[in-house]
Amino acid sequence: MKPMERPYYVTTPIYYISGSPHIGHAYTTIVADVLARTARTFRPTFFLTGTDEHGQKVANAAAAAGKTPQEWCDELVPRWKELFAAYHVRYDDFIRTTEPRHVEKVRRVFERLQMSGDVYLGKYEGWYCVNDETFWLESKLVDGRCPTCGREVQWISEDDWFFRLSAYRDRLREHFLAHPQWVQPRSVYNEMMSILNEGLDDLSISRTSFDWGVPIDGGGVIYVWLDALLNYITAIGWSEDDARFKTWWPAQTQLVGKEIARFHTIIWPAILWALGESAPDLVFAHGWITVDGQKMGKSVGNAVDPFALAQRFGADSLRYFLLREAPFGSDFSYSEEKIAQRHNSDLANDLGNLLQRTLSMLQRYRDGIVPDPAGGSDAELARRFAPLPMVVRDRILDLRFREALEGVWELVTALNRAIDERKPWTLHKEGRTGELNAVLYDLCEGLRWIAILLHPFMPERMSEMWQQLGIPGEIDEDWSSSLRAWGGLLPIGQTALAAPLFPRVELPTLA
Ligand code: ME8
């Protein structure tokens, strides 16, 4: 088990509110939710998500829709909240960068940087990618386009404030060398290290030719990335509630897509250090959901509507797919056929049938009541799976979600095998009541363990399974007491045979 050192703080990127959310946005937030739900089982936890509302990209989207940026954001934010609700995401706070609680502190940061000498006035002349809200040196462009998203860049020439990022290069290198795990996966760590080895330029942190942002006294607005990164500390009381801030900061886990790793692992720690704060423990830059090898994104026109998907497959099934399909960190290609296959094989067949078979045997042989095993539980099963909860918890907190799920599936497989090998129908026919009771009990107890361990991944379906198993109350979040030993399930519970938990879905016909 991880040491109980500190409360757990996990963040997602805050999303540009330049259009409707797609499944890629749901992805990172679902991952954070699985982490937060697991961490909550044993320590105080805070999970932050939100929306990035300033900047040229959002202003352009609003203008194209004939709205003011504020109107546009106000109309779209509920869509994001609906998305997270549809996927059973339980965040602790949702921050919007247009909220006064954030804006005031961003201004305070800017004043502090001015006072500390970390910023200076200069002239910025160079390229800018509106989609990524990124300044680019001519030498970094690829065929004259943005090296990250491949879009056209625009020339800007303005008097801006600059942050002395170059002055932090040595400290950043030392930090990377002293904490080789702080940026993951390794490929991203290496990429960031080579950026540091090449050298850093100072960073323009204001814009004057444009006004949708946090205003700077004397003119201009704060660069949207400085504004946005600060959400991670403004939301938890930075500079006004020190006790609260110190409870959560530094964050244990900051999740980002790999395209924004540089902002989070080079610019972000430098800003924190300039403010006298620590860098986060871990920035994990995950891979992309791709379609035909390309990152799924709204502007590429290949984005998948997450609401329609939740309708079609069930939100929990999607959550499971996203965490099971590829090792976390790698890209993985999206297809409805893959989702359907995973759903049918793992959820409908392995798990759903296990539950259905167990409940129907209970119904047939025991009037649906969980029997007393009377000391006849399978000791081998109990011994083999005793370490599972801590193994699963550790793997989740190490962001090895696929391995965590594989661990739970070993129990699913073992229970299915127990039915085949111990043949309850024969025990019933032959009147071997003690053995029949023991095997039925073991199946229910195993399913109870599975419900608890899979709850962070599939909160709604597992709560339903809990009810079908006739266990009173909500799924107990304290794993260390509810999964201390095999045999925690009280016999006498009245189970209920209901509709299948994971109805099979038809494979979409391939074009
Ligand atoms: O970058 N696959 O916001 P954004 C996986 N506002 N994840 C994906 C994805 C895909 N195809 N598409 C999007 C921004 N994501 C800034 C962040 S943070 C201070 C500011 C996820 O709306 C992934 O987490 O472009 C990615 O980093 C994020 O959405 C980008 O969201």
Side-chain angles (χ1 to χ4, degrees):
M1 194 204 296
K2 295 272 153 192
M4 302 277 285
E5 347 82 52
R6 282 198 294 124
Y8 188 81
Y9 179 33
V10 56
T11 67
T12 72
I14 49 169
Y15 304 103
Y16 286 130
I17 191 138
S18 56
S20 289
H22 60 76
I23 194 71
H25 299 120
Y27 176 53
T28 318
T29 319
I30 289 168
V31 173
D33 188 52
V34 173
L35 283 169
R37 284 175 181 273
T38 307
R40 273 190 214 111
T41 68
F42 73 117
R43 63 211 245 196
T45 298
F46 197 79
F47 162 19
L48 177 70
T49 190
T51 41
D52 188 354
E53 303 188 8
H54 290 131
Q56 210 169 333
K57 174 166 163 142
V58 173
N60 289 356
K67 315 227 162 161
T68 69
Q70 191 67 56
E71 280 168 353
W72 165 262
C73 294
D74 291 346
E75 279 173 29
L76 270 171
V77 163
R79 198 76 187 135
W80 292 79
K81 292 189 172 172
E82 283 161 23
L83 170 73
F84 298 153
Y87 280 89
H88 315 308
V89 168
R90 203 170 113 201
Y91 49 76
D92 294 291
D93 197 358
F94 184 108
I95 188 159
R96 301 182 50 183
T97 53
T98 50
E99 288 173 296
R101 63 168 172 155
H102 175 76
V103 170
E104 281 158 20
K105 288 181 215 151
V106 172
R107 287 171 61 89
R108 207 174 302 160
V109 167
F110 205 79
E111 283 160 21
R112 288 228 192 152
L113 295 178
Q114 283 174 317
M115 280 189 306
S116 67
D118 274 292
V119 299
Y120 61 91
L121 261 177
K123 182 153 190 86
Y124 181 80
E125 284 222 308
W127 298 99
Y128 193 76
C129 169
V130 174
N131 182 63
D132 293 336
E133 300 278 14
T134 306
F135 298 95
W136 289 113
L137 288 175
E138 175 108 25
S139 60
K140 293 276 187 269
L141 301 181
V142 175
D143 299 332
R145 290 169 167 266
C146 170
T148 306
C149 70
R151 288 186 185 74
E152 271 179 25
V153 285
Q154 67 184 47
W155 180 258
I156 53 179
S157 168
E158 33 176 75
D159 292 323
D160 284 342
W161 288 93
F162 283 79
F163 174 64
R164 292 185 201 280
L165 183 62
S166 58
Y168 288 91
R169 180 200 173 214
D170 291 346
R171 185 166 171 189
L172 280 161
R173 285 193 76 245
E174 281 159 26
H175 189 75
F176 270 70
L177 293 171
H179 303 93
Q181 301 289 329
W182 100 277
V183 175
Q184 290 179 35
R186 192 70 191 173
S187 53
V188 175
Y189 174 95
N190 291 339
E191 198 187 321
M192 297 302 119
M193 217 29 194
S194 64
I195 294 179
L196 289 174
N197 288 338
E198 268 179 39
L200 294 177
D201 293 309
D202 289 344
L203 175 73
S204 166
I205 51 162
S206 65
R207 297 293 312 276
T208 45
S209 54
F210 148 87
D211 66 2
W212 177 236
V214 175
I216 300 171
D217 292 339
V221 293
I222 293 172
Y223 173 42
V224 64
W225 264 103
L226 173 60
D227 170 357
L229 286 165
L230 291 168
N231 90 87
Y232 303 128
I233 61 171
T234 62
I236 52 165
W238 176 80
S239 86
E240 64 178 14
D241 183 346
D242 214 38
R244 181 162 176 251
F245 178 64
K246 293 250 156 60
T247 302
W248 303 113
W249 195 260
Q252 276 81 0
T253 310
Q254 298 213 263
L255 297 174
V256 300
K258 63 184 177 182
E259 78 289 354
I260 55 174
R262 189 175 60 96
F263 291 97
H264 285 82
T265 64
I266 294 179
I267 298 172
W268 180 221
I271 290 166
L272 285 162
W273 291 334
L275 296 172
E277 307 297 348
S278 314
D281 291 358
L282 168 67
V283 174
F284 194 104
H286 65 67
W288 293 333
I289 303 176
T290 61
V291 179
D292 300 329
Q294 262 195 312
K295 175 173 180 244
M296 184 189 286
K298 186 175 166 280
S299 22
V300 192
N302 60 6
V304 176
D305 175 6
F307 294 97
L309 269 189
Q311 284 270 312
R312 175 151 163 58
F313 295 101
D316 278 354
S317 191
L318 247 295
R319 286 173 66 110
Y320 174 79
F321 170 80
L322 292 171
L323 285 136
R324 175 63 183 77
E325 189 59 15
F328 188 56
S330 314
D331 287 356
F332 63 104
S333 71
Y334 167 90
S335 86
E336 289 204 1
E337 195 192 22
K338 283 188 191 167
I339 302 173
Q341 274 165 353
R342 266 277 158 232
H343 173 95
N344 287 341
S345 72
D346 300 8
L347 300 178
N349 283 358
D350 297 350
L351 179 56
N353 279 349
L354 170 65
L355 177 69
Q356 205 70 10
R357 285 166 92 191
T358 302
L359 293 180
S360 63
M361 288 189 293
L362 274 170
Q363 206 66 46
R364 215 169 312 137
Y365 308 139
R366 289 289 169 269
D367 291 331
I369 311 243
V370 179
D372 189 338
S377 260
D378 182 344
E380 170 55 20
L381 200 64
R383 192 199 52 76
R384 180 170 165 213
F385 289 103
L388 185 65
M390 291 313 124
V391 168
V392 171
R393 180 191 280 177
D394 281 354
R395 288 182 184 170
I396 293 175
L397 293 178
D398 281 345
L399 296 92
R400 288 150 55 208
F401 304 104
R402 184 154 88 155
E403 290 168 62
L405 288 166
E406 283 166 352
V408 180
W409 249 256
E410 286 177 23
L411 177 54
V412 173
T413 307
L415 295 177
N416 274 318
R417 191 169 312 131
I419 299 183
D420 296 341
E421 287 173 359
R422 288 155 81 182
K423 301 188 175 49
W425 47 93
T426 309
L427 299 175
H428 173 70
K429 211 176 335 161
E430 297 176 357
R432 291 151 68 185
T433 312
E435 286 168 75
L436 176 64
N437 285 351
V439 68
L440 291 178
Y441 178 86
D442 281 344
L443 292 171
C444 293
E445 173 64 345
L447 283 162
R448 183 181 74 94
W449 280 48
I450 291 167
I452 296 173
L453 296 175
L454 291 183
H455 188 242
F457 294 93
M458 297 187 281
E460 200 246 351
R461 295 287 76 197
M462 291 305 104
S463 296
E464 173 64 30
M465 182 157 125
W466 192 255
Q467 279 177 8
Q468 294 189 13
L469 288 166
I471 311 172
E474 300 290 308
I475 291 193
D476 186 348
E477 288 203 340
D478 180 358
W479 293 12
S480 53
S481 66
S482 53
L483 299 178
R484 202 176 326 113
W486 195 262
L489 175 66
L490 285 182
I492 66 165
Q494 174 70 58
T495 61
L497 187 57
L501 208 54
F502 299 103
R504 287 183 68 81
V505 294
E506 292 308 315
L507 287 182
T509 38
L510 294 173

